[in-house]
Amino acid sequence: MDTDVWNERVARGYDASTQHMYAPEVLAPAVDFLHRRAGSGAALEFAVGTGRVALALSARGVAVTGIEKSAPMAAELARKPRGRDVAVALGDMTTRQVPGAFALVYLVYNAITCLLSQEEQIACFRNAARHLEPGGRLVVEVFVPDLRRLPPGETARPFHVGDRHLGFDTYDLAEQRMVSHHYTIADGRATTFLSPHRYAWPCELDLMARLAGLARTERWADWNEAPFTAESRSHVSVWRKPERTGTPHA
């Protein structure tokens, strides 16, 4: 993951720019879903960021630890009320390890796509598996690539056009890469933010999980557990570590 993207300027404005993700109808279903999968066990969030989900899950009584590569993002979390309730280890989620075994490891809000190669994404799955206790679960929330809505021959698609914000994605189809471009006007100033991603299809993520020794047990269109279909724009998927060592069954 490119730490230059998540610098101090971006970290300071991140919660304001994602305020819609804090709405109760958005956040509560995610926390409910994760709480049920964690049960009475501990949880580990990869790319914990400023703690939107981790702090809400911790408030439910779940012991939450986070891994975060961006020191400015982790500092924003620590400055929040109860921010110290979530222990954060600085490092790359593909390799950083923390003590203990967890009932739940999770990545939300497309965090897996911030890893820009297939090799890094596989390493992330393997690192998650290392942290899971037997029977533990990995949960990933991520978008489904929007390529069906990309006109033939085009490489850019707008996702938001407003009075103060313009957002569009550009695609490199050969490398499964996209860059989200954000142009914002506020207080008479214009700012830009470019966020690179590597998209992956649901079946590709299933294969990554199998390489890490995990088997898929659930796939939903959203945190409310709507059925996943060919028209779904995102998915919440769950993979489970076997109770005993051995090859998981699909």
Side-chain angles (χ1 to χ4, degrees):
M1 186 162 26
D2 186 354
T3 51
D4 290 337
V5 171
W6 308 104
N7 54 36
E8 289 189 13
R9 177 182 68 84
V10 171
R12 284 195 304 270
Y14 184 77
D15 284 347
S17 68
T18 58
Q19 190 173 10
H20 62 289
M21 298 299 294
Y22 284 85
E25 64 272 19
V26 176
L27 182 56
V31 176
D32 289 342
F33 186 102
L34 295 170
H35 190 194
R36 289 194 296 270
R37 274 67 182 179
S40 59
L44 173 63
E45 181 173 350
F46 282 4
V48 67
T50 62
R52 176 181 66 94
V53 174
L55 289 174
L57 188 58
S58 174
R60 297 283 188 90
V62 178
V64 182
T65 300
I67 292 177
E68 176 55 50
K69 190 170 183 180
S70 166
M73 294 286 279
E76 290 296 317
L77 190 163
R79 277 193 282 268
K80 293 182 176 181
R82 299 185 58 251
R84 298 292 181 181
D85 290 352
V86 176
V88 177
L90 289 176
D92 194 310
M93 61 184 172
T94 64
T95 56
R96 184 68 161 93
Q97 296 187 49
V98 298
F102 297 85
L104 175 70
V105 176
Y106 65 94
L107 296 89
V108 299
Y109 201 22
N110 309 316
I112 188 69
T113 68
C114 293
L115 299 171
L116 301 182
S117 71
Q118 186 182 71
E119 290 76 13
E120 287 180 305
Q121 291 175 352
I122 291 171
C124 180
F125 272 80
R126 286 178 167 154
N127 197 30
R130 280 193 290 268
H131 284 91
L132 287 172
E133 62 189 25
R137 293 170 172 84
L138 169 63
V139 177
V140 173
E141 176 200 21
V142 65
F143 64 86
V144 175
D146 209 17
L147 303 188
R148 288 198 304 168
R149 296 171 178 84
L150 192 67
E154 298 294 328
T155 58
R157 174 174 170 76
F159 58 83
H160 183 261
V161 178
D163 293 337
R164 297 181 178 274
H165 176 263
L166 169 64
F168 64 92
D169 293 325
T170 55
Y171 290 86
D172 178 346
L173 302 183
E175 297 296 329
Q176 289 184 212
R177 294 281 189 91
M178 57 174 277
V179 178
S180 291
H181 302 248
H182 299 262
Y183 299 90
T184 305
I185 299 174
D187 301 322
R189 298 179 58 190
T191 59
T192 63
F193 174 57
L194 274 60
S195 176
H197 302 269
R198 180 192 184 267
Y199 59 83
W201 300 98
C203 58
E204 184 182 4
L205 297 175
D206 286 341
L207 180 56
M208 292 180 191
R210 288 186 63 85
L211 291 172
L214 307 175
R216 177 162 62 88
T217 57
E218 302 175 64
R219 173 159 291 141
W220 306 101
D222 55 32
W223 295 112
N224 291 306
E225 301 184 20
F228 179 78
T229 72
E231 301 304 317
S232 298
R233 306 289 293 275
S234 64
H235 64 100
V236 176
S237 295
V238 182
W239 298 272
R240 194 165 184 260
K241 187 172 183 175
E243 293 284 354
R244 300 180 181 85
T245 58
T247 303
H249 296 285

